[in-house]
């Protein structure tokens, strides 16, 4: 968070640490895990967590990198995502076992942390918390996006214990009323329910309503609109949140893997259209087609710290994208219909497909990493 260290998760068992100012290599954690390292998340300026295909999460302290603080066991498949609630100091992880697990870092020992399964869904790809931790978003390989509203991480969610809002497709028009159809999907709903009928009335009626708001952890199931994918479906491979919580950023690929899109969806807050079914929470505002190079690999994109730009892997480089040509705030240039993202600058320095990119949280600097292992640092001039 203070920009003193750049950490890199590698396809094998390694984690690399660099000084982003001098570009010097600081240290290699050669056996950080027993399989591919997928994600790294700093909890504060010294403590960070890594997750791996070996099904574990590890906690590390920058002051003592020779040994792990502890190893966390609880997932049964590849762990792909780490989030952290700074208010409760709860670590949140998700994996390809479909589980979202909560870890109490307040009570860590060398043997691990107390943990519990918070949520489960099929086809889980990525999970994110909004900056204020009021919502959890979960993307799936079947094209669904799940939103848990009014989030309470202290309450585990089992089938039937939370209200489910009927699946609906997002829209790019000004008409954002709810729809009873989720659009074409061959794989079915991601939620573990046996009946396919509308569930909103049943669950909402037996869920306690808090005064002046919706029930805690109410679940909304969306099928985000992606240009050109109305009839073929898509897989949501990458999921990011606007730093001010205004929007979500998705990287989607078609089921046939012949198209990729980067899409921005504005959060729509407001009164429900019907008492039992809030209007669709997301509206497509901007999108752009991607190069679709390196099929089968997930490309992780990101917002800039101020939310005015997007850095997106594009073939052997990255593109800096804006909501308009002047890098305006999203709220100052919201279109009535979905509009193309504007390409501000393209940066190409790799000899292989770029898979990830990240802005510095404090300086005008961007990092990118490609499939062959090269890490590049940029200081763009505009």
């Amino acid at each position: 968070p203070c920009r003193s260290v750049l950490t890199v998760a590698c396809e094998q068992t390694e984690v690399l640490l660099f000084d982003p100012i001098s570009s010097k290599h600081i240290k290699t954690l050669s056996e950080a895990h027993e399989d591919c390292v997928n994600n790294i998340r700093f909890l504060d300026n010294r403590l960070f967590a890594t997750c791996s295909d070996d099904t574990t999460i590890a906690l590390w302290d920058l002051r003592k990198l020779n040994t792990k603080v502890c190893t966390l066991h609880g997932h049964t498949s590849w762990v792909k995502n780490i989030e952290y609630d700074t208010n409760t100091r709860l670590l949140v992880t998700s994996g390809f076992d479909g589980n979202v697990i909560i870890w109490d870092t307040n009570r860590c020992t060398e043997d691990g942390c107390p943990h519990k399964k918070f949520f489960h869904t099929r086809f889980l790809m990525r999970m994110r918390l909004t900056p204020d931790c009021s919502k959890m978003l979960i993307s799936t390989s079947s094209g669904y996006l799940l939103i848990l509203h009014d989030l309470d991480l202290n309450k585990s969610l089992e089938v039937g214990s939370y209200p489910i809002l009927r699946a609906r497709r997002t829209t790019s028009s000004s008409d954002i009323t709810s729809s009873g159809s989720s659009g074409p999907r061959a794989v079915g709903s991601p939620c573990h329910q046996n009946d396919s009928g509308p569930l909103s009335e049943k669950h909402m009626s037996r869920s306690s309503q808090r005064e002046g708001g919706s029930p805690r952890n109410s679940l909304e199931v969306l099928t985000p609109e992606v240009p050109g994918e109305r009839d073929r479906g898509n897989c949501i491979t990458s999921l990011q949140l606007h730093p001010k919580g205004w929007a979500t950023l998705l990287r989607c690929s078609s089921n046939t893997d012949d198209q990729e899109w980067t899409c921005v969806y504005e959060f729509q807050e407001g009164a429900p259209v019907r008492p039992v079914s809030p209007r669709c929470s997301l509206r497509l505002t901007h999108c752009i087609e991607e190069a679709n190079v390196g099929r089968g690999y997930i490309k992780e994109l990101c917002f800039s710290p101020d939310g005015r730009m997007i850095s997106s892997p594009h073939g052997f480089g990255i593109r800096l994208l804006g909501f308009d040509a002047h890098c305006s705030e999203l709220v100052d240039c919201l279109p009535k219909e979905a509009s193309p993202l504007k390409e501000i600058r393209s940066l190409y320095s790799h000899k292989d497909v770029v898979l990830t990119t990240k802005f510095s949280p404090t300086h005008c600097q961007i990092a990118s990493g490609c499939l062959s292992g090269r890490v590049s640092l940029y200081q763009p001039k505009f």
Side-chain angles (χ1 to χ4, degrees):
C2 66
R3 197 230 181 191
S4 61
V5 176
L6 170 67
T7 52
V8 183
C10 297
E11 188 178 15
Q12 300 302 320
T13 64
E14 292 183 345
V15 170
L16 307 178
L17 289 86
F18 294 93
D19 181 337
I21 299 176
S22 65
S23 302
K24 291 183 178 178
H25 175 238
I26 298 173
K27 190 175 180 64
T28 295
L29 307 179
S30 58
E31 296 182 358
H33 286 273
E34 296 178 1
D35 207 334
C36 298
V37 186
N38 297 317
N39 192 230
I40 302 175
R41 176 77 182 210
F42 273 88
L43 282 58
D44 52 36
N45 284 330
R46 62 174 181 82
L47 194 66
F48 65 95
T50 59
C51 64
S52 169
D53 285 353
D54 67 6
T55 75
T56 70
I57 301 98
L59 293 183
W60 304 85
D61 192 322
L62 284 176
R63 300 171 300 181
K64 188 181 178 182
L65 289 171
N66 293 328
T67 59
K68 303 174 185 178
V69 174
C70 63
T71 301
L72 311 181
H73 299 270
H75 284 280
T76 58
S77 187
W78 301 347
V79 190
K80 294 293 185 180
N81 207 181
I82 306 172
E83 291 288 283
Y84 184 63
D85 184 345
T86 54
N87 299 319
T88 60
R89 293 181 64 192
L90 293 174
L91 196 70
V92 189
T93 60
S94 67
F96 281 180
D97 56 5
N99 291 327
V100 177
I101 295 180
I102 308 296
W103 309 83
D104 187 357
T105 57
N106 300 292
R107 295 187 288 163
C108 272
T109 67
E110 292 182 357
D111 298 325
C113 298
H115 66 278
K116 64 179 180 180
K117 185 196 296 185
F118 176 71
F119 185 74
H120 179 85
T121 186
R122 293 177 291 174
F123 319 120
L124 190 154
M125 287 292 292
R126 292 291 185 267
M127 172 273 304
R128 300 287 180 192
L129 301 181
T130 52
D132 62 0
C133 298
S134 65
K135 295 181 180 68
M136 176 185 289
L137 280 77
I138 298 172
S139 65
T140 70
S141 59
S142 55
Y144 286 98
L145 184 67
L146 314 181
I147 305 178
L148 284 162
H149 295 273
D150 204 1
L151 189 64
D152 182 359
L153 293 176
N154 293 308
K155 180 182 178 182
S156 294
L157 300 179
E158 303 294 340
V159 173
S161 68
Y162 52 89
I164 297 182
L165 312 178
R166 186 182 304 186
R168 59 185 67 82
R169 178 175 285 280
T170 63
T171 178
S172 60
S173 68
S174 57
D175 180 11
I176 53 174
T177 55
S178 299
S179 167
S181 171
S182 63
R185 287 291 178 270
V187 293
S189 170
C191 301
H192 279 256
Q193 301 287 344
N194 294 324
D195 55 326
S196 58
L199 300 173
S200 55
E201 291 85 358
K202 177 174 65 178
H203 288 280
M204 288 290 285
S205 63
R206 71 186 185 192
S207 299
S208 58
Q209 295 280 347
R210 295 188 303 111
E211 183 179 356
S214 61
R216 302 301 294 268
N217 296 330
S218 57
L219 176 66
E220 184 176 13
V221 185
L222 303 174
T223 51
E225 177 187 358
V226 179
E229 300 303 318
R230 291 181 181 274
D231 300 320
R232 292 188 298 166
N234 63 85
C235 172
I236 305 173
T237 57
S238 182
L239 168 65
Q240 298 290 339
L241 275 299
H242 190 281
K244 298 179 182 178
W246 295 342
T248 183
L249 177 65
L250 302 183
R251 183 78 169 246
C252 304
S253 61
S254 62
N255 284 342
T256 52
D257 240 7
D258 61 346
Q259 277 187 307
E260 280 186 90
W261 292 86
T262 289
C263 301
V264 178
Y265 300 84
E266 173 203 13
F267 278 108
Q268 295 285 313
E269 306 292 352
V273 176
R274 299 196 304 270
V276 296
S277 184
R279 66 180 182 176
C280 179
S281 290
L282 295 177
R283 181 177 73 95
L284 178 64
T285 62
H286 297 83
C287 57
I288 193 168
E289 190 168 4
E290 294 290 358
N292 196 36
V293 177
R295 295 183 185 182
Y297 286 94
I298 294 172
K299 292 92 177 181
E300 298 286 359
L301 64 180
C302 65
F303 278 108
S304 61
D306 61 4
R308 292 172 179 258
M309 282 197 301
I310 294 164
S311 182
S312 175
H314 190 260
F316 288 11
I318 61 174
R319 287 194 297 187
L320 302 182
L321 306 170
F323 304 116
D324 64 13
H326 307 290
C327 296
S328 301
E329 293 273 19
L330 175 62
V331 294
D332 295 330
C333 55
L334 282 173
K336 292 183 178 180
E337 300 287 343
S339 299
L341 288 164
K342 304 297 183 182
E343 184 174 333
I344 307 299
R345 184 67 58 87
S346 294
L347 305 170
Y348 296 98
S349 67
H350 292 275
K351 296 182 179 180
D352 208 337
V353 179
V354 174
L355 301 182
T356 185
T357 177
K358 194 73 175 177
F359 279 93
S360 165
T362 56
H363 290 70
C364 184
Q365 190 176 39
I366 310 168
S368 63
C370 73
L371 183 59
S372 62
R374 178 184 174 88
V375 177
S376 294
L377 291 167
Y378 314 87
Q379 289 183 308
K381 295 179 180 179
F382 299 97

